Amino acid sequence: NNREKKIDLEFSVQDANAEVSPQTVSLDKDETNTVFLKANFSRDKTGEKEFSITIKGSNFSDTKKFKVNVEDCYNLQVDYSQIDGNLEVSAEESKAFTVKVKNIGTREIDVKSIVTGQPWLFFQPENRTLKPGQEEGLFLYSSAPFDTPNKQYEAEISITSKDFSDSRKIHLS
């Protein structure tokens, strides 16, 4: 504040899912203060986003426009089509099934694949790093011990990465 007397300011944001903290500030002569803006653009479309910040005082009002580039940084597409339904496995032979993963985001991501429910069902590799646009297969292997009873089994597979998680139950016979 470079004025001789105390001023009261009010802050607001337009055209964005955002909050200002604190929303009001009182400043004495030569006093300064910090105001924080917390914005969430996760539900916005990718591309340029414009929003405004307004500062109001008792004798003035000023609005400034800002632009940010919204990116879909960490997004993953998973194709389970080869393992939909009931998987036929047997103790006599090992089998491999493919789950395809594609990085449809704009940043490199680490993908982790996990199987729970059956110790003889596993992913190889369990972890993989994908560059933007890169698609890879994660191989789900079945290697049931020879003495495994011939019956219905259930397992859960999970594919996770930063800001993404998807799980599926699978049935084995």
Side-chain angles (χ1 to χ4, degrees):
N1 177 11
N2 58 6
R3 296 184 181 179
E4 290 298 320
K5 62 180 185 169
K6 178 179 175 178
I7 60 171
D8 295 319
L9 302 173
E10 183 179 311
F11 299 87
S12 62
V13 180
Q14 297 80 41
D15 303 319
N17 179 12
E19 58 187 54
V20 178
S21 178
Q23 290 180 330
T24 59
V25 174
S26 293
L27 297 175
D28 290 320
K29 182 180 182 331
D30 296 326
E31 186 180 11
T32 62
N33 200 339
T34 302
V35 176
F36 296 94
L37 171 71
K38 183 177 179 182
N40 181 350
F41 297 107
S42 64
R43 298 195 190 279
D44 288 280
K45 292 181 180 178
T46 58
E48 194 172 89
K49 170 78 175 170
E50 199 172 288
F51 65 97
S52 304
I53 298 176
T54 300
I55 304 170
K56 290 182 182 178
S58 58
N59 296 328
F60 73 94
S61 179
D62 192 17
T63 299
K64 297 287 184 191
K65 292 189 177 206
F66 296 89
K67 291 180 183 179
V68 295
N69 187 31
V70 178
E71 294 182 350
D72 194 5
C73 298
Y74 305 103
N75 201 351
L76 194 63
Q77 183 179 52
V78 182
D79 177 3
Y80 294 101
S81 61
Q82 196 181 31
I83 62 167
D84 282 346
N86 196 43
L87 300 181
E88 299 289 329
V89 297
S90 74
E92 289 87 38
E93 66 178 323
S94 294
K95 281 193 173 179
F97 305 93
T98 304
V99 175
K100 291 181 183 175
V101 292
K102 182 176 183 178
N103 181 352
I104 56 174
T106 57
R107 307 275 181 178
E108 183 174 276
I109 56 174
D110 295 319
V111 178
K112 185 173 186 167
S113 47
I114 303 166
V115 179
T116 56
Q118 300 305 323
W120 41 266
L121 197 63
F122 57 94
F123 273 107
Q124 193 67 16
E126 288 182 351
N127 301 308
R128 176 153 301 189
T129 300
L130 298 176
K131 295 183 183 327
Q134 184 179 1
E135 181 177 32
E136 293 287 336
L138 301 174
F139 301 103
L140 178 65
Y141 288 99
S142 165
S143 184
F146 184 72
D147 59 351
T148 303
N150 188 11
K151 65 178 192 170
Q152 287 282 329
Y153 293 93
E154 187 175 274
E156 185 172 34
I157 59 172
S158 299
I159 308 295
T160 60
S161 67
K162 183 179 177 88
D163 297 335
F164 179 90
S165 181
D166 190 38
S167 296
R168 297 275 169 108
K169 290 203 181 297
I170 57 172
H171 299 279
L172 310 138
S173 60

